[in-house]
C-alpha cells in the first residue's frame, strides 16, 4: 500500500471506530450489554462479587494490586517450570530467574519487553498459557482503570468508582476476546502461521545443510498483540517477519488495531460524562501531536542516513536498512510512530537502524507520556492527568478556581496529577543515570558514543512507559538490565495507575458546580492548544537534556539537523 493510501484508509477506518466502538465500550461499562451474561455470572460467583457491589478507589486499587501480584507470580512460575510442562516440541528448558522476573513483569504491565528470542526461549505452553493470557489481562486492567477514573467525572457525591473484577471481566468478554478472535482469523487467512506441529526442518541436498524453521500458534497471538497494545511477538523479529506479518494488508491491519481502542476511548469518555465535545477535545490533542510525529519521522526515514551520506554513498529510496522492503520507509515510520505513541512496542523493522532523527521521533513519542493516543486505557487516564494540569493552569490565568466537567480542581487533585505526570520521567532519568555510571550498564550497548547512549536511554524509556520496543543494539539479557528493567516497568505502570484511581475517587465524591460566565471552557480549541502545550512542555523540560546527548548530538555530528 502507498503511504498516502494507507493514511487515508486509516483515517476513515479509525473515524468509524472512534464513533461506534467508543459508543459500544461506553455501553459495556455502563452495564447495558448483556449478551454474554451466561459467561459473566459464573465468573462473579467464583470471585464472590457482583456488579452491584461497588468499590471505593482504595478497594479498587487494592483489588488491582492483589490481582496483579497473583497474576505475575503465576506467570513467573509457568515460565520457570516450562521444561516439565506439555506443548514443548523443542524441549526448551526453564527460563533463568532474572529473565523470568523481567518477562513476568513485562507482560503484566502491558510492556511486553522481550530480553529473549521467543522461538529459542519460550515453549508453546509459555507463549499461549502464560504470555498470551497476560496479553488479554493487562489491557483489560488498563481499560478498567481508565473507566474507573472516568466515573470520577461522571458521578457526584458518591464514594465508589465501580468494581474492578466486573470491569476487567466485561472488558475481556465483550471487547478483547471477540475482536481478537475475528482479527486472528484474518491474520491466519493472510498467511500468519498457526500450528502446534513444532518446527519444520529442511535438508538442502546441494550443500548438505539442514535448516530448522521455527513455527507455532502465531496468528491469533498477533491479533491480541496489536489490539491490546501489547507488542510482544511470538518470534524474535516481531512484525518484521512474514510469519507474524505476511502481507501489506496485515501491516495496515496491525497499525489500525494498535490505534483503534486508544482513540475510541476518547469517545467512550465523552459518552460516559455526557459531553462528546470533551472527548473530541482529547482526541484532537492526540491526533495533532500524532500527526506531527508521523510527519517528521516519515520525512527523516525517507531521506538518506547521514552516516551513509558522509561515507559518500547516495540513494534515492530513503533509509532502507533494517526494513522489510514490501512495507517501504515511510509506512514503516508510520508503524513505528503508531507503535511507540501507543505503548505497543511491536516493530516491523529494526528501530536501531532508523536515522538519528527517525529514532528521535520514536523515542520522544514515548517521552511525551504515550498519550497520543497512548495504550489501551493508559493513554486515556494519562491524558486526563495532563488535562487536569492544563485546567489548573487555565484557572490561574483567568483568576478563579479551575473546573473540569463541573468538578473543582483543587490542591488534592493537582498534587495527584503532578505525581502521575512526573513519576515516569523521574524513574527513567534515574535509571538511565545509574546505567551509564556503572560497568554493568555500560556493557550493554553495541555502539559507542551518542548512539550507544541512545540505546540505553531508549530501553529504559521504553520500559518506564510500558512500551516494549527497543533499539536492538542493547544487550538486555543481563542480571542488571533484567532486574532494573523489571522495576522500571512496575513503577511506570502502578506509579501512574494508583494516582489515577485516587483522582477518580476524589472527583466522584465531589458535587458539580454549574458553569458561569467566567468558567474556563475545556471543550474548545483554546483548551486543546493548552493541553498540547502542557504535554509537550512537560516532556521537553524533563527529557531535552538527555535527548541532546543522544540522537540530536548524533545527527549534528554529521553536519546538519535535517
Amino acid at each position: 500500500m502507498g503511504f498516502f493510501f494507507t493514511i487515508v484508509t486509516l483515517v476513515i477506518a479509525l473515524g468509524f471506530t472512534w464513533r461506534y466502538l467508543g459508543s459500544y465500550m461506553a455501553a459495556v461499562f455502563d452495564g447495558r450489554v448483556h449478551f454474554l451474561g451466561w459467561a459473566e455470572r459464573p465468573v462473579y460467583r467464583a470471585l464472590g462479587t457482583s456488579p452491584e457491589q461497588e468499590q471505593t478507589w482504595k478497594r479498587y486499587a487494592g483489588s488491582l494490586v492483589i490481582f496483579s501480584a497473583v497474576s505475575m507470580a503465576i506467570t513467573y512460575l509457568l515460565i520457570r517450570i516450562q521444561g516439565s510442562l506439555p506443548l514443548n516440541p523443542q524441549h526448551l528448558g526453564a527460563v533463568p530467574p532474572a529473565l523470568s522476573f523481567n518477562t513476568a513483569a513485562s507482560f503484566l504491565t502491558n510492556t511486553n519487553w522481550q530480553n529473549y528470542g521467543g522461538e529459542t526461549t519460550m515453549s508453546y505452553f509459555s507463549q499461549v498459557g502464560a504470555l498470551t493470557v497476560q496479553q488479554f489481562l493487562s489491557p483489560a486492567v488498563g481499560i478498567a482503570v481508565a473507566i474507573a477514573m472516568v466515573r470520577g467525572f461522571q458521578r457526584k457525591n458518591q464514594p465508589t468508582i465501580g468494581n474492578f473484577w466486573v470491569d476487567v471481566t466485561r472488558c475481556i468478554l465483550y471487547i478483547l476476546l471477540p475482536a481478537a478472535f475475528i482479527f486472528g482469523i484474518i491474520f491466519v487467512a493472510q498467511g500468519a502461521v498457526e500450528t502446534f506441529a513444532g518446527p519444520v526442518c529442511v535438508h538442502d541436498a546441494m550443500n548438505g545443510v539442514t535448516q530448522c524453521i521455527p513455527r507455532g500458534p502465531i496468528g491469533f497471538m498477533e491479533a491480541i498483540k496489536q489490539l491490546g497494545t501489547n507488542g510482544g511477538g511470538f518470534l524474535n523479529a516481531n512484525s518484521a517477519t512474514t510469519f507474524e506479518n505476511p502481507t501489506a494488508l496485515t501491516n495496515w491491519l496491525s497499525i489500525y488495531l494498535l490505534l483503534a481502542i486508544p482513540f475510541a476511548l476518547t469517545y467512550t469518555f465523552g459518552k460516559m460524562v455526557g459531553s462528546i465535545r470533551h472527548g473530541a477535545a482529547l482526541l484532537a490533542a492526540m491526533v495533532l501531536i500524532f500527526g506531527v510525529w508521523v510527519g517528521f519521522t516519515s520525512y527523516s526515514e525517507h531521506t538518506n542516513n547521514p552516516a551513509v551520506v558522509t561515507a559518500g554513498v547516495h540513494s534515492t529510496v530513503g533509509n532502507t536498512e533494517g526494513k522489510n522492503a514490501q512495507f517501504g520507509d515511510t509506512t514503516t515510520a508510520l508503524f513505528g510512530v503508531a507503535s511507540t505513541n501507543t505503548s505497543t512496542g511491536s516493530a516491523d523493522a529494526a528501530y536501531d537502524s532508523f536515522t538519528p532523527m527517525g529514532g528521535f521521533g520514536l523515542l520522544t513519542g514515548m517521552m511525551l507520556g504515550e498519550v497520543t493516543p497512548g495504550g489501551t486505557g493508559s493513554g486515556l487516564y494519562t491524558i486526563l492527568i495532563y488535562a487536569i494540569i492544563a485546567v489548573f493552569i487555565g484557572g490561574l490565568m483567568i483568576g478563579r478556581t479551575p473546573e473540569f466537567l463541573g468538578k473543582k480542581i483543587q490542591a488534592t487533585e493537582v498534587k495527584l496529577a503532578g505525581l502521575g505526570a512526573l513519576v515516569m520521567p523521574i524513574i527513567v532519568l534515574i535509571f538511565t543515570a545509574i546505567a551509564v555510571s556503572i560497568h554493568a550498564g555500560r556493557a550493554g550497548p553495541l555502539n559507542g558514543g551518542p548512539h550507544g547512549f541512545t540505546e540505553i536511554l531508549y530501553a529504559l524509556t521504553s520500559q518506564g512507559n510500558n512500551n516494549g520496543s527497543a533499539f536492538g543494539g542493547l544487550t538486555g539479557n543481563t542480571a542488571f538490565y533484567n532486574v532494573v528493567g523489571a522495576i522500571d516497568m512496575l513503577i511506570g505502570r502502578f506509579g501512574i495507575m494508583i494516582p489515577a484511581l485516587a483522582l477518580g475517587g476524589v472527583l466522584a465524591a465531589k458535587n458539580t458546580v454549574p458553569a458561569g460566565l467566567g468558567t474556563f471552557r475545556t471543550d474548545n480549541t483554546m483548551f486543546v492548544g493548552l493541553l498540547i502545550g502542557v504535554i509537550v512542555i512537560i516532556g521537553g523540560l524533563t527529557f531535552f537534556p538527555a535527548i541532546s546527548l543522544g540522537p540530536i548530538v548524533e545527527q549534528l555530528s554529521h553536519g546538519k539537523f535535517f
Side-chain angles (χ1 to χ4, degrees):
M1 294 183 183
F3 182 66
F4 178 76
F5 180 77
T6 299
I7 293 290
V8 171
T9 52
L10 275 174
V11 169
I12 294 172
L14 290 170
F16 278 101
T17 302
W18 179 75
R19 169 62 178 83
Y20 294 105
L21 177 59
S23 180
Y24 171 73
M25 288 192 291
V28 167
F29 292 111
D30 280 341
R32 291 181 280 117
V33 178
H34 303 288
F35 65 87
L36 290 175
W38 56 270
E40 264 190 278
R41 289 186 289 272
V43 175
Y44 301 151
R45 284 196 294 269
L47 294 171
T49 189
S50 71
E52 290 72 33
Q53 297 178 22
E54 293 214 341
Q55 299 171 310
T56 65
W57 81 262
K58 293 180 180 178
R59 292 290 300 274
Y60 202 103
S63 299
L64 163 69
V65 171
I66 292 170
F67 175 77
S68 299
V70 173
S71 181
M72 180 173 172
I74 292 173
T75 303
Y76 175 87
L77 179 63
L78 291 176
I79 295 171
R80 286 286 293 137
I81 65 172
Q82 70 173 13
S84 59
L85 296 174
L87 294 177
N88 188 6
Q90 293 170 279
H91 306 291
L92 298 170
V95 179
L99 180 57
S100 295
F101 175 55
N102 183 279
T103 304
S106 176
F107 280 76
L108 169 81
T109 58
N110 199 238
T111 310
N112 289 212
W113 175 272
Q114 295 173 282
N115 275 336
Y116 61 87
E119 61 267 44
T120 59
T121 308
M122 297 294 174
S123 69
Y124 289 178
F125 188 93
S126 293
Q127 297 269 29
V128 175
L131 304 184
T132 304
V133 169
Q134 284 293 355
Q135 289 185 318
F136 281 94
L137 297 180
S138 63
V141 169
I143 294 172
V145 171
I147 295 300
M149 187 178 180
V150 171
R151 292 191 183 112
F153 295 100
Q154 181 189 42
R155 299 177 176 185
K156 57 183 179 179
N157 299 324
Q158 292 191 33
T160 60
I161 55 172
N163 184 308
F164 172 81
W165 310 105
V166 173
D167 289 340
V168 169
T169 301
R170 286 175 172 168
C171 184
I172 292 173
L173 287 179
Y174 291 106
I175 300 169
L176 299 178
L177 272 175
F181 180 76
I182 293 170
F183 290 113
I185 292 175
I186 297 175
F187 271 97
V188 174
Q190 284 291 300
V193 175
E194 183 73 24
T195 180
F196 284 100
V200 59
C201 295
V202 180
H203 181 74
D204 190 336
M206 296 288 291
N207 55 25
V209 173
T210 299
Q211 179 183 9
C212 288
I213 303 171
R215 302 181 298 174
I218 298 171
F220 279 88
M221 183 179 182
E222 192 69 14
I224 190 59
K225 178 184 95 173
Q226 311 292 15
L227 178 69
T229 63
N230 291 291
F234 191 99
L235 303 171
N236 188 43
N238 207 276
S239 291
T241 172
T242 54
F243 280 16
E244 290 195 19
N245 187 15
T247 66
L249 175 60
T250 58
N251 196 64
W252 181 94
L253 188 61
S254 295
I255 300 171
Y256 164 77
L257 287 176
L258 55 89
L259 293 170
I261 292 178
F263 275 134
L265 277 170
T266 60
Y267 190 93
T268 303
F269 167 74
K271 188 78 172 178
M272 291 183 69
V273 300
S275 174
I276 300 301
R277 286 178 61 91
H278 278 83
L282 298 182
L283 176 70
M286 291 176 173
V287 169
L288 287 171
I289 297 178
F290 179 78
V292 171
W293 255 247
V294 169
F296 75 71
T297 305
S298 298
Y299 173 80
S300 297
E301 289 307 298
H302 197 55
T303 59
N304 293 324
N305 192 309
V308 175
V309 174
T310 302
V313 178
H314 297 276
S315 170
T316 59
V317 294
N319 179 37
T320 58
E321 180 185 341
K323 294 182 174 64
N324 188 322
Q326 70 172 327
F327 303 145
D329 51 16
T330 51
T331 302
T332 298
L334 169 63
F335 189 111
V337 173
S339 176
T340 50
N341 280 34
T342 57
S343 163
T344 306
S346 57
D348 69 350
Y351 291 162
D352 204 26
S353 296
F354 271 40
T355 64
M357 295 315 297
F360 172 91
L362 304 183
L363 181 56
T364 53
M366 294 185 292
M367 288 175 169
L368 294 182
E370 288 190 331
V371 294
T372 56
T376 47
S378 62
L380 179 60
Y381 63 70
T382 306
I383 201 170
L384 285 173
I385 286 173
Y386 283 122
I388 288 172
I389 297 173
V391 166
F392 175 69
I393 294 173
L396 292 178
M397 291 191 295
I398 64 174
R400 59 171 290 167
T401 303
E403 301 162 8
F404 191 41
L405 286 165
K407 299 294 181 79
K408 288 188 175 182
I409 305 302
Q410 297 171 303
T412 300
E413 292 84 358
V414 174
K415 290 175 183 177
L416 288 170
L419 175 61
L422 294 177
V423 64
M424 179 275 293
I426 290 172
I427 60 168
V428 168
L429 293 174
I430 288 175
F431 284 142
T432 301
I434 294 172
V436 299
S437 301
I438 63 176
H439 174 74
R442 293 194 302 270
L446 174 66
N447 298 278
H451 193 81
F453 173 76
T454 303
E455 289 176 347
I456 295 174
L457 178 63
Y458 192 105
L460 294 168
T461 301
S462 175
Q463 291 173 93
N465 277 282
N466 303 136
N467 183 274
S469 65
F471 270 21
L474 183 78
T475 300
N477 190 16
T478 65
F480 173 80
Y481 279 110
N482 276 325
V483 173
V484 168
I487 296 171
D488 193 15
M489 290 183 279
L490 291 169
I491 296 176
R493 178 75 160 177
F494 298 103
I496 302 175
M497 275 187 165
I498 303 302
L501 289 174
L503 276 167
V506 170
L507 291 169
K510 287 191 168 189
N511 200 356
T512 56
V513 294
L517 292 176
T519 300
F520 179 72
R521 290 188 60 183
T522 53
D523 61 353
N524 59 7
T525 304
M526 181 180 294
F527 177 73
V528 171
L530 180 60
L531 178 57
I532 292 173
V534 167
I535 294 169
V536 173
I537 289 172
I538 290 177
L541 289 176
T542 52
F543 284 113
F544 185 75
I547 286 292
S548 298
L549 296 173
I552 292 179
V553 168
E554 185 180 359
Q555 182 75 23
L556 292 177
S557 66
H558 298 289
K560 61 179 182 178
F561 196 69
F562 278 108

